[in-house]
Amino acid sequence: MARKYSIIRAEGDATKPAEMLLYDVIGADPWTGGGITAERVLADLKALGQDSAIDVRINSPGGEVYEGVAIYNALARHPGKVTVHIDGFAASIATLIAMAGDEIRVAENAVWMVHQPWTFAMGNAPEMRRIADSLDKHWAAMLTTYERRTGRAAAELAQRVTDAGGEWWMTAAEAVAEGFADTVVDPSEDAVAYGLGRFGKVPERIAASLRTDADEARNSVLANLAQSLGRAAAVELSPPRKTVAQAPTHTPAEDPDQARRRRVVEVLRLS
């Protein structure tokens, strides 16, 4: 299974930075048992040592504001140089974590999305007003961090989000132009956005480019899988065809290898 969070200390070369992967939702995910917590990041940074430089690689749809702010603060306090790399997707609170970088590098085929925090709530009218006030305060606090890093006024940033319909999507070049990143880099591997489907206002120019990147990446994974199984296989990743319902028939049991290959292909098609 691919690693979604890890921190790897460089070995054999003290000048080489450690690498932290933030490839998951921010905060504990009760549905999958995954997620990246501030407690774990803080413990790993402490074990790494104060003088260690670190490359933070981000591909995340965001998550819990509290956890994200704490992760940002932990990285911002780290004495060693912090270089942030946006490998595929930085959205919501993941963009705020990225602001902790002394240098922020974004892959040319990666995307950013900034929006106001949101939540689910139950209660009466006074409770709803209290929650709305709380969200406003969280947004104001996030804007101070964006303001400090981008050099743009908080009111201007808030207006850009409003003008964009609530979700401010940016290409790599736009993120640099707006002050959210320092450099656009030519990636050695295609960036594939993790968790893009949870947002409803993805501009078509961004979604189309990411669909192409994702198809190429999945085809590569499938080719490697076929090779590792020692079988010649050609799998076409295409939209599912409409099928006509048929009467139930008896299907012979699959052997373990067939079942494993089928499950992997189904997961890749649905991801």
Side-chain angles (χ1 to χ4, degrees):
M1 180 179 294
R3 294 170 299 170
K4 293 185 176 181
Y5 170 79
S6 66
I7 185 165
I8 305 169
R9 182 189 294 272
E11 296 182 0
D13 185 353
T15 64
K16 188 176 180 180
E19 182 177 77
M20 175 183 288
L21 293 181
L22 302 181
Y23 271 44
D24 204 346
V25 297
I26 305 304
D29 187 343
W31 303 106
T32 67
I36 303 166
T37 64
E39 181 180 16
R40 184 173 179 186
V41 171
L42 186 61
D44 286 344
L45 286 175
K46 184 176 180 180
L48 189 63
Q50 292 190 351
D51 297 329
S52 298
I54 183 169
D55 286 333
V56 179
R57 313 199 73 94
I58 297 178
N59 187 26
S60 172
E64 295 183 19
V65 172
Y66 295 123
E67 293 287 329
V69 170
I71 291 172
Y72 163 83
N73 287 333
L75 289 170
R77 289 194 305 266
H78 183 65
K81 181 179 180 180
V82 175
T83 303
V84 169
H85 305 260
I86 307 303
D87 287 346
F89 186 31
S92 191
I93 200 64
T95 61
L96 188 133
I97 292 173
M99 300 295 96
D102 298 304
E103 180 183 3
I104 303 172
R105 300 162 61 87
V106 54
E108 65 182 3
N109 52 354
V111 291
W112 291 69
M113 194 279 283
V114 177
H115 69 167
Q116 293 190 35
W118 58 273
T119 189
F120 294 100
M122 294 178 61
N124 55 24
E127 179 65 12
M128 294 298 101
R129 295 187 187 97
R130 185 191 68 78
I131 292 172
D133 289 343
S134 177
L135 288 172
D136 286 341
K137 290 178 181 178
H138 282 83
W139 178 226
M142 292 171 65
L143 285 169
T144 62
T145 301
Y146 292 133
E147 181 181 48
R148 181 181 301 109
R149 185 59 174 77
T150 66
R152 296 180 181 272
E156 178 187 354
L157 294 169
Q159 190 60 49
R160 293 298 296 274
V161 172
T162 299
D163 292 344
E167 292 180 359
W168 183 13
W169 291 88
M170 290 171 274
T171 63
E174 289 167 344
V176 171
E178 298 291 349
F180 286 92
D182 300 307
T183 309
V184 176
V185 297
D186 182 11
S188 59
E189 297 181 358
D190 288 335
V192 179
Y194 169 77
L196 190 67
R198 65 192 283 164
F199 300 106
K201 298 180 180 179
V202 184
E204 178 57 28
R205 62 188 170 82
I206 290 176
S209 66
L210 289 176
R211 281 195 294 269
T212 299
D213 291 337
D215 286 346
E216 291 176 357
R218 291 177 187 136
N219 279 324
S220 175
V221 171
L222 288 171
N224 291 336
L225 175 65
Q227 184 178 8
S228 68
L229 291 174
R231 309 287 177 84
V235 180
E236 179 183 358
L237 288 177
S238 58
R241 298 182 177 88
K242 293 183 179 180
T243 59
V244 179
Q246 298 178 347
T249 59
H250 174 70
T251 302
E254 294 179 303
D255 65 44
D257 282 347
Q258 288 177 325
R260 183 169 63 253
R261 289 196 299 274
R262 176 179 56 76
R263 286 195 297 270
V264 171
V265 170
E266 289 174 349
V267 169
L268 289 169
R269 281 177 172 164
L270 292 172
S271 62

